[in-house]
Amino acid sequence: MTKQAGREYHLVDRIGWLRAAVLGANDGILSTSSLILGVAAAGGTRSSVLIAALAALVAGAMSMAAGEYVSVSSQHDTEQADLARERAELAADFSGELEELASIYRGRGIDDATAHIIARELMAKDALAAHARDELGITVANTARPIQAAFTSAATFTFGAAMPVLIAAIAPRAWLIPIEIVGSLLFLAVLGAIGAVTGGANVWRATARVTFWGALALAVTAGIGRLVGTVV
């Protein structure tokens, strides 16, 4: 938590873009490096590995953007529908909505008289905002932002995928698989640490978590590629 010009800034304010950024970069590294390892383990040439890697980068970025936009848009539509319903209820029964808001505060341990005072004052200023925050749980920090989520996911996926693609382009073919594995796990570890620091979480736990699951995914994909290459 930091202060600037009398206002406190909390880490939760970052949750919208941070989730999309970590998801995009992690998926970019993991899915692209896994595909590279699968093709390389199956005996693919450098050109075939690079073609597959670049295709994974472009397709993955577009898929992440589209997926985030659609899913977050659905959340946004639901929020807007709830707000429209709440707006209609306020217009039809303002006193009933005031009582409902006061009951929420009573449930949090505030005495009845104070709960009604708070409800009246908040609703006098902005009734819809008060109900959105305390009844529906919709705040500025967690409101759905489809375009922001789509752009963040696509950009971070591209950044993450570019790392294993670069390794595939410059690493000697004979050493491509071990270098790709080590490089990708290092990238994932750094990403886990950055995400933890940005979000105020435990760095070692986040790093270990993302590295473990990344190693498992890479091992499975390389094993399948090796099996397919042997059979074919």
Side-chain angles (χ1 to χ4, degrees), residues 11 13-24 148 152 194-200:
L11 295 175
D13 293 336
R14 305 172 178 174
I15 195 169
W17 64 263
L18 180 60
R19 180 193 65 83
V22 171
L23 176 62
Q148 180 191 69
T152 301
I194 292 174
V197 171
T198 306

Side-chain angles (χ1 to χ4, degrees), residues 14-69:
R14 305 172 178 174
I15 195 169
W17 64 263
L18 180 60
R19 180 193 65 83
V22 171
L23 176 62
N26 184 83
D27 196 22
I29 295 171
L30 195 53
S31 62
T32 306
S33 58
S34 294
L35 182 59
I36 290 171
L37 288 177
V39 175
T45 62
R46 181 182 294 277
S47 60
S48 63
V49 169
L50 285 175
I51 290 172
L54 290 173
L57 187 154
V58 175
M62 295 300 99
S63 176
M64 287 293 292
E68 280 291 314
Y69 184 80

Side-chain angles (χ1 to χ4, degrees), residues 63-221:
S63 176
M64 287 293 292
E68 280 291 314
Y69 184 80
V70 170
S71 63
V72 179
S73 291
S74 297
Q75 177 187 342
H76 180 264
D77 292 342
T78 300
E79 290 177 354
Q80 293 305 306
D82 279 340
L83 289 173
R85 186 180 303 109
E86 195 64 35
R87 191 178 291 110
E89 291 174 353
L90 285 167
D93 185 12
F94 192 88
S95 60
E97 290 299 302
L98 189 150
E99 179 59 37
E100 182 179 25
L101 193 61
S103 70
I104 292 174
Y105 300 141
R106 285 199 302 271
R108 296 175 183 174
I110 298 175
D111 66 84
D112 184 69
T114 304
H116 276 86
I117 292 173
I118 295 173
R120 279 195 298 270
E121 292 188 358
L122 289 177
M123 289 182 65
K125 181 178 180 181
D126 191 335
L128 182 61
H131 280 267
R133 180 181 60 251
D134 293 320
E135 181 182 351
L136 303 177
I138 300 174
T139 66
V140 174
N142 65 18
T143 188
R145 297 181 178 88
I147 295 178
Q148 180 191 69
F151 178 80
T152 301
S153 292
T156 53
F157 182 97
T158 300
F159 176 77
M163 299 177 185
V165 170
L166 181 62
I167 292 176
I170 65 177
R173 179 62 184 87
W175 292 92
L176 174 58
I177 292 178
I179 293 176
E180 188 71 59
I181 291 174
V182 172
S184 297
L185 291 179
L186 285 175
F187 294 149
L188 287 170
V190 170
L191 174 64
I194 292 174
V197 171
T198 306
N202 182 282
V203 174
W204 294 111
R205 184 182 299 116
T207 302
R209 180 172 58 231
V210 71
T211 303
F212 170 78
W213 289 108
L216 181 62
L218 294 176
V220 171
T221 309

